[in-house]
Amino acid sequence: MATDPLLSSQGRLLEPMEGVVDYRGRPASRSASGGWSSVLFIIGVEIAERFAYYGVSANLISFLTGPLNESTATAAASVNVWSGVASMLPLLGAFVADSYMGRYRTIVVASLLYILSLGMLTFSAALPSLHPPDCGVDAGDTSSSCPPSALKVAIFYFSLYLMAVAQGGHKPCVQAFGADQFDENDPQESVARSAFFNWWYFGLCFGTLATVTILNYIQDNLGWALGFGIPCAVMLCALALLLMGTTTYRFYPFKEQSPFARTAKALTAVARNRWSDSSERQEAVNAEHLAEAKGLLELFPIWATCLFYAVVFAQWSTLFTKQGSTMDRRIGSKFVVPPAALQSFISVSIIAFIPIYDRILVPAARKFSKLPSGITMLQRIGAGMVISLLSMAIAAAVEMKRLRTAREFGLVDQPKAMIPMSLWWLVPQYVLTGIADVFTMVGLQEFFYDQVPEALRSLGLAFYLSIFGVGSFISGFLISVIDKTTRKGGDSWFSNNLNRAHLDYFYLLLAGLSAVELLLFVYFARAYVYQKKASGVLQP
């Protein structure tokens, strides 16, 4: 007797899912949990969190070189160190989530820490007694003759690093929790999960865009207290939104053994087996766990060969912003674009390109490759690295033009003078950075989520984020070393007077290092064997 397809489909939707529970701990059904209805809550939380994070980080160099009176090189290095710590702490957050608290509870706690840290930043900026001491200059003067109080600096940096801790718990869990709402073993939900990574990045770019176009203007023109207070209020709303969706989520119960402990045991066995052929030692650890551990080790070359992409990524929130601050940013007769708002070109290009990628490029590529995703995850990452290299070469050319213009108009020794060169010169490097992110950033997110064991997916996304943490540290190290070295022979490449600096040399150096990295990436990507079926071929 033939089975009614409609009844079969309804039965599949109502049937409890294996190993998945709802918020009450009962077996979850496919129809009553997960999917896009749950993901929309989670994407909303991520948009709010990115708004809050970039509400601080995108304009941080302006605060450090302004109210805190740090030099350009010191401020850029400080931002890179903080960004590095913020991107490395997700490894700790993933460990806590996957071993003890679960992703949902970790997100809740991280949101509370976010609210506390942003509240403290607002407090430090608003309390009159913590403002820089009166030293006989006009309010708002940021010259070195009027340094901020030590207490203000201490509270600011404590709050800043508390925010990094909050981001460390929030970032690896929210995206993994969102992807968990799709069943990779279901054909329809598997395709939806692949699209989820594209639209996830599309959504969070709206948060970034709102930050750099609205919030940075408020910070530069209406005050830092309001500029930090708004992200605090937004994170309160994000926490409320997360809690509202609780009844719709899918949850994965803990295994009997911590996935970290299991994987550490397996990695130890793998290391020992390199020095011994003992079958007894091989059998000491479950073969499946050994395969998982070996799979994690095979991810390391891909991780390492993406580090200089992360170094390039670190520049748009630091040196790109300082570069733009010297140029003609007027639109009309009165409005002046805040330097950090130039980063909106990145978000706009991402928002514009993701639909093109998802709806045009992927279907076109799918016809030739027969892959559900059009191209493999590693091909996507590599394509973004090529575009990133090109963005650095263009940034160097634009900076050469800016320095030449400063010389032609006799403005070399006038660091605060506006260079008669339109902000539109910077648009290509920002747009290419955004397009590169659509390929590489989204590709890395999907790759490190897909290629790790199911129980370690928070770790996989933390592993991806650590690329940008280490990349920020490398960027800060390079800037510090180059600054000290070039200062001995005259003007530093990162002189406070950017008209005597040489950001163009630094950009060219990064372009060269990116080219070497790309060659290494291609070598290791060609040798990589995918661990899961996500890159399988579509059947005709």
Side-chain angles (χ1 to χ4, degrees):
M1 180 177 178
T3 303
D4 188 332
L6 179 59
L7 293 176
S8 176
S9 176
Q10 289 177 340
R12 184 184 68 85
L13 292 174
L14 295 174
E15 183 180 86
M17 300 176 65
E18 184 178 354
V20 183
V21 298
D22 63 13
Y23 72 105
R24 292 180 177 176
R26 302 174 303 187
S29 67
R30 201 178 301 276
S31 62
S33 66
W36 286 107
S37 59
S38 296
V39 164
L40 290 177
F41 285 103
I42 301 170
I43 288 179
V45 171
E46 178 68 1
I47 290 173
E49 187 272 339
R50 289 293 87 185
F51 176 88
Y53 179 79
Y54 284 110
V56 175
S57 67
N59 209 19
L60 184 56
I61 194 167
S62 297
F63 187 88
L64 295 180
T65 56
L68 291 194
N69 281 312
E70 293 185 0
S71 67
T72 298
T74 300
S78 296
V79 172
N80 285 327
V81 169
W82 176 75
S83 297
V85 171
S87 297
M88 294 300 292
L89 283 173
L91 291 170
L92 176 61
F95 170 76
V96 172
D98 287 344
S99 298
Y100 300 104
M101 294 179 62
R103 289 162 194 159
Y104 176 78
R105 292 188 182 90
T106 303
I107 296 168
V108 172
V109 173
S111 297
L112 292 171
L113 288 177
Y114 245 123
I115 294 166
L116 176 61
S117 63
L118 289 167
M120 291 179 64
L121 284 174
T122 305
F123 172 78
S124 69
L127 197 64
S129 62
L130 297 183
H131 285 173
D134 183 10
C135 54
V137 295
D138 295 334
D141 191 338
T142 58
S143 65
S144 59
S145 61
C146 187
S149 68
L151 184 59
K152 180 182 178 70
V153 173
I155 291 178
F156 175 80
Y157 272 106
F158 177 81
S159 306
L160 195 64
Y161 278 90
L162 181 61
M163 181 179 169
V165 173
Q167 204 249 184
H170 205 281
K171 191 61 179 171
C173 297
V174 177
Q175 190 171 15
F177 189 57
D180 285 347
Q181 306 310 307
F182 299 102
D183 181 6
E184 66 179 344
N185 297 313
D186 180 84
Q188 295 178 0
E189 292 196 20
S190 178
V191 173
R193 195 191 73 176
S194 181
F196 159 77
F197 285 96
N198 290 327
W199 293 106
W200 171 272
Y201 205 59
F202 179 88
L204 69 87
C205 284
F206 272 105
T208 306
L209 180 61
T211 297
V212 298
T213 55
I214 301 173
L215 193 58
N216 292 158
Y217 178 83
I218 292 172
Q219 290 169 344
D220 287 345
N221 295 277
L222 301 180
W224 289 96
L226 182 61
F228 291 146
I230 292 174
C232 183
V234 168
M235 280 308 300
L236 277 168
C237 295
L239 179 57
L241 185 63
L242 175 71
L243 298 176
M244 284 172 58
T246 301
T247 58
T248 73
Y249 301 144
R250 294 174 184 173
F251 300 88
Y252 290 81
F254 286 119
K255 305 294 183 182
E256 291 184 4
Q257 184 182 21
S258 164
F260 281 86
R262 187 184 73 193
T263 303
K265 184 177 180 181
L267 287 171
T268 301
V270 170
R272 288 177 177 174
N273 286 334
R274 290 181 179 275
W275 302 97
S276 172
D277 295 327
S278 169
S279 59
E280 179 181 350
R281 185 168 289 164
Q282 179 73 22
E283 295 171 358
V285 181
N286 185 284
E288 180 184 353
H289 298 169
L290 279 172
E292 291 177 353
K294 289 178 179 178
L296 287 176
L297 290 175
E298 290 171 357
L299 296 176
F300 180 77
I302 304 300
W303 180 91
T305 52
C306 291
L307 290 177
F308 272 100
Y309 176 85
V311 174
V312 172
F313 181 85
Q315 308 315 314
W316 60 260
S317 63
T318 54
L319 297 181
F320 278 19
T321 300
K322 292 300 293 182
Q323 186 181 17
S325 68
T326 67
M327 299 172 68
D328 184 356
R329 293 174 280 108
R330 294 174 298 179
I331 296 180
S333 59
K334 295 182 179 179
F335 183 73
V336 178
V337 178
L342 296 174
Q343 297 167 27
S344 63
F345 291 118
I346 297 177
S347 300
V348 169
S349 64
I350 291 171
I351 291 170
F353 189 71
I354 282 181
I356 295 173
Y357 179 87
D358 194 67
R359 300 301 181 186
I360 298 176
L361 296 184
V362 169
R366 191 181 289 153
K367 294 179 180 179
F368 298 97
S369 67
K370 303 300 181 183
L371 295 173
S373 57
I375 57 176
T376 68
M377 291 175 278
L378 290 176
Q379 287 172 340
R380 181 173 185 169
I381 294 167
M385 293 171 72
V386 172
I387 299 171
S388 175
L389 190 162
L390 181 60
S391 74
M392 274 291 97
I394 290 177
V398 171
E399 178 62 7
M400 291 177 187
K401 166 68 176 174
R402 192 192 69 82
L403 292 175
R404 187 163 59 250
T405 302
R407 289 193 295 271
E408 290 173 355
F409 284 84
L411 301 175
V412 171
D413 293 316
Q414 299 181 43
K416 294 185 178 181
M418 179 187 69
I419 304 297
M421 184 175 169
S422 173
L423 64 88
W424 301 111
W425 280 90
L426 296 174
V427 171
Q429 67 198 60
Y430 279 109
V431 169
L432 287 175
T433 298
I435 295 175
D437 282 358
V438 172
F439 283 95
T440 298
M441 290 284 283
V442 181
L444 285 170
Q445 290 169 10
E446 185 175 5
F447 179 78
F448 281 100
Y449 177 88
D450 186 80
Q451 296 297 296
V452 298
E454 183 177 302
L456 292 174
R457 282 173 169 168
S458 294
L459 174 65
L461 289 173
F463 200 32
Y464 135 74
L465 288 168
S466 71
I467 293 173
F468 296 89
V470 175
S472 291
F473 289 139
I474 294 173
S475 177
F477 174 77
L478 284 175
I479 289 173
S480 295
V481 171
I482 292 172
D483 179 55
K484 291 179 181 178
T485 303
T486 56
R487 190 185 301 163
K488 296 176 182 178
D491 290 313
S492 165
W493 284 11
F494 309 101
S495 171
N496 289 338
N497 179 0
L498 288 187
N499 298 334
R500 287 194 172 277
H502 274 293
L503 299 184
D504 52 338
Y505 293 172
F506 185 61
Y507 293 159
L508 287 173
L509 173 64
L510 293 186
L513 292 173
S514 295
V516 174
E517 175 193 55
L518 179 61
L519 294 175
L520 292 173
F521 175 82
V522 171
Y523 173 81
F524 287 110
R526 288 172 62 88
Y528 184 81
V529 178
Y530 286 92
Q531 303 298 314
K532 296 187 179 182
K533 63 182 181 181
S535 55
V537 177
L538 287 173
Q539 298 300 319

